[in-house]
Amino acid sequence: MKSFPSIRNAFTAVTAAALWFLAPVLMTGCSGRADWRLAEGAVWNTTYRITYRADRDMTDSIMSVFRRVENSLSPFNEKSLISRINRNETDSTDMLLRRVFAISSEICRESGGRFDPTVSPLVNLWKFGYTGKVDPDSVWEPGQARIDSALQYVGLQDCSITPEGRMRKKSSGTTFNFSAVTKGYACDLMLDMLRRNGAQDAMVEIGGEVAVGGKSPRGDSWRLQIDTPVFSADSIVHQALEIIEVADCGVATSGNYRNYHQSSGGRVGHTIDPRSGRPVKSPFLSVTVIASGCGEADAYATALMAAPSRAAAEDIISRGDGLRVMLVEADTVLRYNWQ
């Protein structure tokens, strides 16, 4: 499951998909005129790039959205709402948490449990979570007894949120890590904020997850580059696999080629199977999903990376609502509903 580091952590680029503009972006300090503007920087151990057409600068509002997401959903922030729920200090939820819970519950069901944010204890156990990591070349593998112990707390289907907004966990030892949906959902929230403030033409990219609305600076659809999956833990390799044109949707890519370490059996990726408690042995190097929302695209991309076979992935795709999917295998690129 993809990590969602704190806004206060040191910056390290870990983007899953690259975005390249094929037209120049106009930035201006003038107000009262709808010009193209650009906000970019570092957040949550990754980068963001927000392009929008508006009559004023919206940097303050952009940072406010980042803070809202951080304070609600980041398991890397000890004071966040989800961290306090994980420690059983509260059972109260907010709008953001209820939304990612709803998205997660739906995709957990549609994927046959292959997407499950309560896998959090196992993600931590395998050193891919918020309790500490190991270097890519380090060898780390927990024993089966520890895996079995953590598995007893996994099960999103046994959790719920009451009509009053109270979280009901499977067990007091159950913890949540919504990182595999949060970054995409943050793109959706950011795009919604821009639209409410009159910026109908906008693109939000956070760590390779993208939400787009309206028209690009060229006056038509937005062009995004999907990277070829290249194993590299210490650098970002942007080698184009395909350029796509999209409008009014969310795009997310998931893969294990930039977040992995070694085990006794060789390289293991960060996508953990909620049923076995072990890193997924996936036939896919990367998965790209286009959906109506980036939160849904983000979660489905992770679910598909957890599929053990092409047939299992195709079953998940068939259950999704209008998903467009690219599956990249070692020597094959498979496209579903892509055009």
Side-chain angles (χ1 to χ4, degrees), residues 157-197:
Q157 71 278 5
D158 297 317
C159 304
S160 62
I161 297 178
T162 69
E164 295 75 31
R166 302 293 181 179
M167 178 68 75
R168 295 291 178 259
K169 302 200 294 185
K170 176 182 180 180
S171 162
S172 61
T174 298
T175 59
F176 303 95
N177 186 339
F178 291 102
S179 298
V181 60
T182 294
K183 201 163 49 171
Y185 178 56
C187 292
D188 293 331
L189 282 177
M190 196 72 72
L191 185 61
D192 288 345
M193 180 277 294
L194 292 170
R195 285 169 163 167
R196 287 197 307 272
N197 285 279

Side-chain angles (χ1 to χ4, degrees), residues 9 14 34 39 41-42 45 78 116-117 119 149 172 184 191 203 210 222 239 256 264 267 275 282 287 331:
N9 288 350
V14 292
N45 269 20
E78 293 183 353
D116 190 330
V119 77
S149 178
S172 61
L191 185 61
M203 184 223 65
V210 180
W222 295 88
Q239 180 178 324
N256 286 319
S264 59
R267 181 191 292 131
R275 295 171 301 179
S282 174
V287 174
D331 55 2

Side-chain angles (χ1 to χ4, degrees), residues 5-13 42-46:
S6 168
I7 195 172
R8 287 180 285 276
N9 288 350
F11 163 62
T12 304
V43 68
W44 306 328
N45 269 20
T46 191

Side-chain angles (χ1 to χ4, degrees), residues 48-100:
Y48 68 89
R49 185 180 178 92
I50 302 170
T51 307
Y52 59 100
R53 190 165 66 92
D55 58 5
R56 65 189 185 282
D57 181 271
M58 296 188 190
T59 299
D60 289 347
S61 296
I62 288 169
M63 297 313 297
S64 177
V65 173
F66 281 135
R67 285 191 295 270
R68 283 182 63 208
V69 175
E70 164 79 13
N71 291 332
S72 176
L73 299 174
S74 174
F76 292 81
N77 181 348
E78 293 183 353
K79 296 181 180 180
S80 72
L81 177 58
I82 195 61
S83 291
R84 290 187 288 119
I85 287 175
N86 285 344
R87 294 193 301 266
N88 300 307
E89 294 174 358
T90 184
D91 61 359
S92 296
T93 63
D94 63 6
M95 183 194 74
L96 275 64
L97 180 50
R98 290 191 290 272
R99 180 56 184 154
V100 297

